[in-house]
Amino acid sequence: MVVLVTGSNGQLGQSLQYIAVNYPQLQWVFYDSSTLDITQIESVQKAFQHYQPDYCINTAAYTAVDKSESEPDKAFLVNGLGPENLAKTCAKQGTVLIHISTDFVFDGTKKSPYQEDDSTHPLGVYGTTKWQGEQAVKQFCNNFYILRTAWVYSQFGANFMKTMLRLAAERSELSIVSDQIGTPTNAVDLAKAIVSCMLYDATTENPSYGIYHYSNEGQCSWYDFAVAIFKLKGVNIPVHSIPTTQFPTPAKRPAYSVLDKSKIKKVMKLTIPEWQDSLRALLT
């Protein structure tokens, strides 16, 4: 099976490259934004015509949540138009599309984990453009999996974990928001889940296409996440718990965005690690 991956320079793209060697039955083709611009349909069609992929994993995204508030057009091109171009091309080529979305499609007002069919109501530009990407995939492609995830970190790229370790080396104390609740997700775990999705699809006569949620298990605040990072790395620094109101940002974030993973665990027979275990495996 030929697997075409977009956004290969991002942390999820790099995580897929990291685990690709474990799946020799798959022929991997990795594209970054300089070699495949998903906002240009001609670029997408050229790559698909050359490789004739069985699967396309779209990890390309404009993920600068705050910056997107001042660059909505750029965010839409990558998060909205890009998935539309991929969906149209996948439909034409008979390729199964696996598109990565986000917990930011929700407004965070719910008090229990979000299920796939819960109402979406993004609070800012980033979440809105990712929601638009979801709509395009559903409109233009029948054979698709949309995987919503959250709070992604890894040994690759830029992320909260790396930012915390850098700031701890630069400052004498830190203040971290404690009233936003979600689930840290190791990008390598997410990459493995994506491969499980493909293998499920390839061996199932009647695949259950649609939207799925994937993150690690459990929940915590950004403050809890930071404290866990420092503890595992043996970093001694005072960490203060603050409300969101004391850390204003251009983009409003959901106060609660824990995802319910019951569907993906049942359909694809996944066992999902606890967030603390995945963080410990990476840092120790």
Side-chain angles (χ1 to χ4, degrees):
M1 297 190 298
V2 179
V3 183
L4 187 153
V5 180
T6 67
S8 63
N9 279 350
Q11 58 173 331
L12 180 54
Q14 291 185 68
S15 296
L16 283 163
Q17 293 182 68
Y18 178 70
I19 69 167
V21 66
N22 298 323
Y23 302 94
Q25 72 271 41
L26 304 177
Q27 180 184 336
W28 297 87
V29 181
F30 291 97
Y31 278 108
D32 61 25
S33 58
S34 67
T35 54
L36 173 55
D37 182 355
I38 66 170
T39 70
Q40 303 293 324
I41 193 158
E42 296 83 5
S43 177
V44 174
Q45 290 172 338
K46 183 178 179 181
F48 273 64
Q49 288 167 2
H50 182 75
Y51 285 103
Q52 300 288 314
D54 298 287
Y55 294 89
C56 171
I57 305 172
N58 181 34
T59 75
Y62 182 110
T63 57
V65 176
D66 289 321
K67 198 175 181 182
S68 67
E69 294 296 315
S70 58
E71 294 184 345
D73 293 341
K74 287 185 179 180
F76 172 74
L77 282 175
V78 182
N79 295 344
L81 180 61
E84 178 178 324
N85 290 337
L86 289 169
K88 288 178 176 177
T89 307
C90 282
K92 185 177 180 180
Q93 294 280 344
T95 302
V96 177
L97 176 58
I98 301 175
H99 174 66
I100 309 304
S101 193
T102 175
D103 58 328
F104 273 58
V105 299
F106 299 114
D107 62 13
T109 57
K110 198 178 178 189
K111 303 303 180 184
S112 59
Y114 278 96
Q115 297 177 315
E116 287 81 357
D117 57 357
D118 281 333
S119 297
T120 52
H121 186 241
L123 298 175
V125 170
Y126 168 69
T128 298
T129 58
K130 291 296 289 183
W131 176 83
Q132 290 170 323
E134 288 188 8
Q135 299 308 302
V137 170
K138 291 193 289 184
Q139 180 178 350
F140 295 107
C141 184
N142 291 324
N143 299 346
F144 70 86
Y145 300 93
I146 293 172
L147 265 58
R148 293 182 183 139
T149 191
W151 294 28
V152 179
Y153 71 93
S154 67
Q155 62 266 52
F156 309 109
N159 55 68
F160 180 83
M161 180 193 75
K162 287 189 173 184
T163 298
M164 288 299 102
L165 292 172
R166 174 178 58 80
L167 291 177
E170 297 171 354
R171 302 181 184 180
S172 58
E173 58 183 344
L174 292 171
S175 296
I176 311 294
V177 168
S178 61
D179 56 357
Q180 293 175 24
I181 307 299
T183 307
T185 303
N186 188 314
V188 174
D189 289 341
L190 176 58
K192 291 175 181 177
I194 291 169
V195 174
S196 294
C197 182
M198 285 192 294
L199 298 179
Y200 153 81
D201 182 88
T203 56
T204 304
E205 286 189 15
N206 298 299
S208 297
Y209 294 117
I211 298 175
Y212 290 82
H213 287 171
Y214 183 90
S215 69
N216 283 126
E217 295 281 25
Q219 65 182 54
C220 66
S221 68
W222 290 112
Y223 169 82
D224 298 327
F225 189 17
V227 168
I229 291 166
F230 298 143
K231 183 177 180 180
L232 287 167
K233 292 299 290 183
V235 175
N236 294 312
I237 184 173
V239 184
H240 305 292
S241 165
I242 62 170
T244 299
T245 52
Q246 289 187 26
F247 190 73
T249 55
K252 190 176 181 183
R253 288 158 166 78
Y256 180 91
S257 61
V258 178
L259 301 175
D260 185 308
K261 279 83 65 175
S262 300
K263 181 181 176 183
I264 198 168
K265 287 191 288 187
K266 180 180 179 181
V267 173
M268 299 181 192
K269 307 295 189 290
L270 288 187
T271 300
I272 302 177
E274 294 286 333
W275 74 264
Q276 298 99 322
D277 294 337
S278 286
L279 182 65
R280 184 181 303 110
L282 177 57
L283 292 181
T284 59

